[in-house]
Amino acid sequence: DQQVKQNSPSLSVQEGRISILNCDYTNSMFDYFLWYKKYPAEGPTFLISISSIKDKNEDGRFTVFLNKSAKHLSLHIVPSQPGDSAVYFCAAHRNSGNTPLVFGKGTRLSVIA
Amino acid sequence: DAGVIQSPRHEVTEMGQEVTLRCKPISGHDYLFWYRQTMMRGLELLIYFNNNVPIDDSGMPEDRFSAKMPNASFSTLKIQPSEPRDSAVYFCASSLRARGGYTFGSGTRLTVV
């Protein structure tokens, strides 16, 4: 049972345009959300996070939006660059104790020059 | 710090053989996680340790899988006997807390033929 769902396995975007990666979750106990980026032959690395008390967090070209009522978050990359081509994982943390992050299946983003 | 170190980077083995994956976490990190990445299931948690103690191994697929953390600087994931369906990339990650700040190793790509 996937508690964190990334329904788009892949996405292609032209350089300079906006990339929007989506993530849905089912567990209302999740209160902290993260995005990780993974290049081939490397481990995932942290990109950006958002707490459930916020609806937006921005870091340079990367913005994460959270819609709690819809149990939906999205990662916006503006403008997209070829170096952004990677697999992006959405992750969530439950607010009860020291439970590990739950990850989605990932979305492969290809930014075309 | 050299980060989380995993070995080997690649492992090809025959069905039925024993496989041991190794991980050296970042010094001072209290949490260690073993994740497996597959196309079908994305990043799934196998087991995690807190202060060298296994906390939750409910993600371990079968009794063929076992993990140990004999001290704060070393952990192993063993598969015995290995099967072709175990083929995947196995990641180790460490963190100061369960909520985030994970540092992943580069992974071990396991192929069972």
Side-chain angles (χ1 to χ4, degrees):
Chain A
D1 179 30
Q2 284 270 318
Q3 298 185 66
V4 177
K5 300 177 184 180
Q6 294 178 257
N7 292 321
S8 298
S10 62
L11 175 68
S12 287
V13 173
Q14 281 207 311
E15 182 180 5
R17 301 288 188 115
I18 183 171
S19 294
I20 300 176
L21 293 90
N22 294 304
C23 177
D24 297 294
Y25 60 96
T26 58
N27 192 335
S28 58
M29 298 290 284
F30 288 146
D31 71 337
Y32 186 63
F33 303 90
L34 309 89
W35 286 93
Y36 280 76
K37 177 179 180 179
K38 183 189 176 305
Y39 290 119
E42 296 182 10
T45 55
F46 170 74
L47 183 60
I48 192 169
S49 64
I50 187 167
S51 167
S52 61
I53 63 173
K54 296 185 175 182
D55 55 16
K56 176 183 174 181
N57 188 26
E58 194 171 352
D59 183 2
R61 297 185 297 112
F62 302 90
T63 303
V64 56
F65 295 92
L66 175 62
N67 182 335
K68 282 177 298 201
S69 61
K71 293 192 177 69
H72 176 83
L73 63 154
S74 60
L75 174 67
H76 292 213
I77 307 173
V78 185
S80 302
Q81 299 174 353
D84 297 328
S85 298
V87 176
Y88 290 79
F89 290 98
C90 175
H93 184 264
R94 215 169 67 214
N95 63 5
S96 58
N98 293 319
T99 55
L101 296 179
V102 178
F103 286 84
K105 291 185 179 182
T107 296
R108 181 179 300 278
L109 173 66
S110 299
V111 180
I112 304 161
Chain B
D1 200 322
V4 175
I5 300 172
Q6 290 188 246
S7 64
R9 288 297 307 272
H10 303 274
E11 177 79 41
V12 180
T13 190
E14 290 186 347
M15 182 174 65
Q17 295 297 307
E18 177 180 297
V19 175
T20 300
L21 312 182
R22 297 172 175 78
C23 175
K24 177 178 168 54
I26 289 176
S27 177
H29 280 189
D30 296 327
Y31 288 87
L32 184 139
F33 310 89
W34 283 100
Y35 283 89
R36 178 171 70 174
Q37 183 191 8
T38 61
M39 291 292 291
M40 290 295 294
R41 301 176 71 89
L43 267 176
E44 58 175 334
L45 178 71
L46 300 177
I47 185 172
Y48 78 101
F49 296 83
N50 181 209
N51 293 321
N52 312 341
V53 177
I55 303 301
D56 184 355
D57 66 354
S58 60
M60 299 284 257
E62 298 170 32
D63 291 344
R64 300 183 295 107
F65 286 68
S66 62
K68 293 182 180 180
M69 192 165 184
N71 57 61
S73 59
F74 185 64
S75 177
T76 59
L77 177 68
K78 186 177 292 186
I79 308 172
Q80 165 64 18
S82 57
E83 296 183 3
R85 58 189 165 133
D86 302 330
S87 298
V89 182
Y90 291 79
F91 288 102
C92 173
S94 70
S95 176
L96 286 169
R97 59 193 187 279
R99 188 173 174 79
Y102 292 17
T103 300
F104 282 83
S106 298
T108 295
R109 180 173 294 276
L110 173 65
T111 303
V112 183
V113 298

